[in-house]
């Protein structure tokens, strides 16, 4: 019998007899402590137990805590009490790519990396084939337009499969249109907003003068109960220990606190942290990050090289010498909550911009006289053709990365262009003259 087995083995290839094991069903994500959102979490969890509710939508303005809530829910599925067999998390964003979201879903299901080479239609069939046999929960963050879940391969939740689909959006109307039981995430009430703000400012600043707590309450009020603003402004004030600094903060926030659009109020509050960065170099380095697409993990090493080549770190002649300064800049931006940790990609540490912080950075870049016409950003905007050539003439930094551009056929005149991001497109042809009129690139 052993000889027969040996003969049989010699006729086949048995280097690999099984696929890699699937990923863990739930990967716990780091999350800010959800101050003031505890009752909302309990309400949402009771809906997850309700068999009549299949789709849940969390709506609210940017920075109000929707992603924090969704992340908290995801982490709760890791507890022994949860009996969902598959838990999937994916970020959709304004300009989404169906194939990439399917790849994220496939990663959670346990499909091998080679599976990603299949067509969108085949991926949808494969995903549907797996999820239709299991009790699953899919969490989709940041939906901007009505989505057909069948396009991804996600079966519709029903009483029979007891599965759930939970998503966030800035639009209540969109949640209703998608048939979701809708919850509006409201800004924090005054007491909870003050609690969160105190936590981010810290005792050292608040106790440095008897009058500072009262002034701090006024600063907190200017953040309109928005957790992102409270956290960001609170961190900016953590090192302010004099009455003059706190009074100046109140006056600065008041100047933008008439009756403008609510988004301008948010950006104005967040811009306070940008204005409090210690020097122009750090401000330029921060704005540079908005050239990347939304929810993009930026490798720190590459970011440093970009800053160095742009001359933003002009105190040094070599990248190795600039590394120390750039580490300090990145650390300061992380501490100010203007950047956040982006995990690791291929062993490299990354940083990310919250989508509202990125919107604010673009708002600054387009509205500030100092940076007027400097930025042209259409990253991840589903472009199929290069931007109109006239748009290139006065631009200093341009990003059309992560699109579907196949041909660059023009010869744009770019006397000021220093940075051009073209990566992650589908480029097949670049004209001979494309780079000829870019003397400072």
């Amino acid at each position: 019998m052993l000889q027969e087995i040996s003969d049989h083995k010699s006729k086949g290839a048995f280097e690999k007899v099984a696929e890699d094991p699937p990923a863990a069903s739930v990967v716990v994500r780091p999350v800010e402590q959800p101050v003031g959102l505890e009752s909302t979490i309990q309400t949402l969890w009771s809906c997850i137990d309700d068999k009549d509710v299949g789709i849940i939508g969390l709506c609210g303005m940017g920075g109000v805590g929707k992603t924090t809530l969704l992340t908290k829910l995801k982490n709760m599925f890791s507890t022994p009490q949860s009996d969902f067999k598959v838990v999937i998390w994916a970020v959709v964003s304004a300009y989404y790519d169906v194939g990439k979201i399917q790849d994220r879903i496939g990663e959670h299901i346990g499909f091998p990396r080679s599976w990603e080479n299949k067509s969108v239609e085949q991926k949808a069939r494969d995903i549907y084939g797996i999820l239709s046999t299991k009790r699953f929960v899919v969490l989709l963050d940041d939906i901007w337009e009505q989505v057909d879940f069948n396009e991804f391969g996600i079966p519709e939740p029903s009483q029979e499969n007891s599965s759930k689909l939970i998503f966030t959006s800035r639009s209540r109307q969109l949640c209703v249109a998608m048939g979701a039981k809708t919850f509006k995430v409201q800004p924090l009430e005054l007491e909870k907003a003050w609690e969160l703000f105190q936590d981010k400012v810290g005792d050292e600043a608040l106790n440095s003068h008897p009058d500072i707590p009262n002034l701090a309450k006024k600063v907190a009020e200017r953040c309109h109960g928005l957790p992102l603003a409270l956290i960001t402004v609170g961190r900016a004030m953590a090192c302010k220990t004099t009455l003059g600094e706190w009074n100046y903060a109140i006056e600065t926030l008041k100047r933008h606190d008439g009756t403008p659009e609510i988004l301008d109020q948010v950006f104005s509050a967040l811009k306070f942290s940008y204005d409090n960065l210690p020097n122009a170099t750090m401000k330029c380095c921060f704005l540079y990050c908005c050239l990347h697409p939304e929810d993009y993990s930026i490798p720190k090493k590459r970011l440093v090289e970009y800053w160095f080549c742009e001359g933003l770190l002009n105190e040094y002649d070599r990248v190795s010498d600039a590394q120390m300064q750039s580490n300090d800049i990145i650390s300061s931006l992380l501490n100010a909550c203007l950047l956040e940790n982006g995990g690791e990609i291929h062993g490299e540490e990354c940083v990310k911009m919250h989508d509202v912080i990125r919107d604010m950075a673009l708002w600054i870049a387009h509205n500030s006289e100092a940076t007027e016409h400097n930025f042209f950003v259409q990253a991840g905007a589903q472009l199929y053709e290069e931007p109109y050539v006239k748009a290139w003439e006065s631009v200093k930094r341009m990003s059309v990365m992560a699109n579907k551009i196949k041909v660059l056929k023009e010869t744009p005149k770019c006397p000021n262009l220093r940075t051009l991001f073209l990566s992650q497109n589908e480029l097949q042809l670049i004209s001979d003259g494309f780079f000829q009129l870019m003397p400072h690139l």
Side-chain angles (χ1 to χ4, degrees):
M1 190 180 290
L2 285 171
Q3 185 58 48
E4 286 179 25
I5 291 170
S6 181
D7 292 343
H8 192 64
K9 282 176 67 179
S10 69
K11 296 172 185 174
F14 297 96
E15 288 81 8
K16 186 172 185 180
V17 295
E19 291 294 351
D20 296 328
S25 59
V26 180
V27 177
V28 176
R29 293 166 58 91
V31 62
E32 278 277 357
Q33 197 59 30
V35 174
L37 301 176
E38 296 84 357
S39 61
T40 307
I41 291 169
Q42 292 307 315
T43 304
L44 288 169
W45 197 252
S46 65
C47 277
I48 290 164
D49 290 333
D50 187 343
K51 288 187 176 180
D52 293 328
V53 178
I55 303 176
I56 299 170
L58 306 178
C59 67
M61 63 184 294
V64 79
K66 302 184 298 297
T67 300
T68 299
L69 271 173
L70 198 67
T71 305
K72 182 67 176 174
L73 285 175
K74 182 181 189 300
N75 292 346
M76 289 170 73
F77 289 116
S78 67
T79 61
Q81 292 88 342
S82 171
D83 59 352
F84 287 90
K85 299 301 180 187
V86 182
V87 180
I88 293 166
W89 171 286
V91 178
V92 179
S93 297
Y95 305 105
Y96 67 89
D97 184 306
V98 173
K100 288 182 179 177
I101 293 173
Q102 288 176 322
D103 293 345
R104 190 81 178 100
I105 294 171
E107 184 183 320
H108 284 286
I109 292 174
F111 288 144
R113 181 59 64 88
S114 58
W115 176 83
E116 296 178 4
N117 297 323
K118 290 187 176 185
S119 68
V120 167
E121 293 76 17
Q122 184 60 56
K123 288 178 184 176
R125 286 194 290 271
D126 292 347
I127 291 169
Y128 187 91
I130 295 291
L131 294 185
S132 59
T133 65
K134 299 179 183 292
R135 189 183 186 209
F136 65 86
V137 59
V138 175
L139 305 107
L140 299 176
D141 192 24
D142 200 22
I143 288 179
W144 286 71
E145 60 185 50
Q146 195 158 346
V147 170
D148 179 3
F149 298 121
N150 288 323
E151 189 177 24
F152 300 127
I154 302 171
E156 188 169 338
S158 64
Q159 285 189 338
E160 288 72 33
N161 60 29
S162 297
S163 295
K164 305 291 175 183
L165 205 156
I166 310 170
F167 66 89
T168 69
S169 173
R170 296 189 191 183
S171 167
R172 186 179 188 280
Q173 187 177 354
L174 178 66
C175 293
V176 173
M178 291 176 61
K181 184 173 179 63
T182 303
F183 293 88
K184 185 170 184 182
V185 184
Q186 300 284 5
L188 298 179
E189 294 178 2
L190 205 59
E191 186 179 333
K192 289 295 183 182
W194 171 233
E195 183 184 327
L196 178 59
F197 190 73
Q198 284 183 94
D199 181 57
K200 298 307 168 186
V201 174
D203 293 337
E204 185 179 348
L206 290 171
N207 296 333
S208 55
H209 190 284
D211 293 341
I212 282 181
N214 286 331
L215 296 175
K217 285 181 181 178
K218 292 180 181 178
V219 172
E221 286 171 14
R222 301 290 168 190
C223 295
H224 306 283
L226 198 69
L228 183 65
L230 288 159
I231 292 167
T232 309
V233 175
R235 289 273 172 85
M237 297 306 296
C239 58
K240 310 297 183 186
T241 57
T242 68
L243 293 180
E245 289 171 315
W246 282 88
N247 279 314
Y248 177 74
I250 292 168
E251 290 305 313
T252 302
L253 291 168
K254 267 185 184 176
R255 284 200 291 270
H256 304 288
D257 202 25
T259 53
E261 290 291 323
I262 187 65
L263 202 58
D264 278 349
Q265 290 184 5
V266 174
F267 288 165
S268 297
L270 296 175
K271 186 176 180 289
F272 180 79
S273 291
Y274 167 83
D275 291 335
N276 271 269
L277 292 174
N279 53 58
T281 295
M282 202 171 288
K283 290 177 181 177
C284 286
C285 289
F286 164 71
L287 293 178
Y288 201 90
C289 295
C290 75
L291 293 169
H292 299 83
E294 192 173 295
D295 197 54
Y296 186 84
S297 293
I298 313 166
K300 288 183 184 179
K301 184 179 177 184
R302 184 172 299 176
L303 193 56
V304 173
E305 289 169 352
Y306 290 154
W307 290 345
F308 177 75
C309 292
E310 266 265 6
L312 299 179
L313 307 176
N314 54 14
E315 297 174 32
Y316 304 100
D317 297 325
R318 295 182 304 176
V319 174
S320 56
D321 294 329
Q323 188 74 50
M324 284 191 298
Q325 184 192 4
S326 59
N327 286 342
D328 180 62
I329 290 171
I330 290 172
S331 179
S332 296
L333 293 174
L334 286 168
N335 289 335
C337 292
L338 293 173
L339 289 181
E340 54 191 54
N341 287 313
E344 282 193 14
I345 294 181
H346 305 306
E348 285 194 37
E349 288 187 16
C350 300
V351 291
K352 291 171 87 167
M353 291 184 110
H354 186 287
D355 55 354
V356 179
I357 296 287
R358 180 177 180 270
D359 289 345
M360 185 265 291
L362 290 168
W363 178 75
I364 292 171
H366 292 145
N367 290 296
S368 168
E369 291 179 11
T371 58
E372 192 174 4
H373 305 307
N374 275 358
F375 286 78
F376 181 99
V377 182
Q378 289 286 303
Q382 299 289 303
L383 299 181
Y384 286 85
E385 296 180 349
E386 63 189 282
Y388 178 51
V389 164
K390 194 74 177 171
W392 300 59
E393 289 190 0
S394 57
V395 173
K396 191 173 181 181
R397 300 178 180 102
M398 173 175 276
S399 176
V400 289
M401 67 181 291
N403 283 295
K404 300 178 185 295
I405 299 170
K406 292 184 178 179
V407 178
L408 297 172
K409 59 181 182 295
E410 304 287 350
T411 305
K413 187 178 181 181
C414 309
N416 303 314
L417 192 65
R418 297 177 63 89
T419 290
L420 173 62
F421 287 177
L422 293 170
S423 62
Q424 298 178 37
N425 275 284
E426 300 173 7
L427 288 171
Q428 297 171 2
L429 178 68
I430 300 177
S431 71
D432 291 342
F434 181 78
F435 293 105
Q436 283 187 5
L437 302 178
M438 303 180 184
H440 297 295
L441 190 64

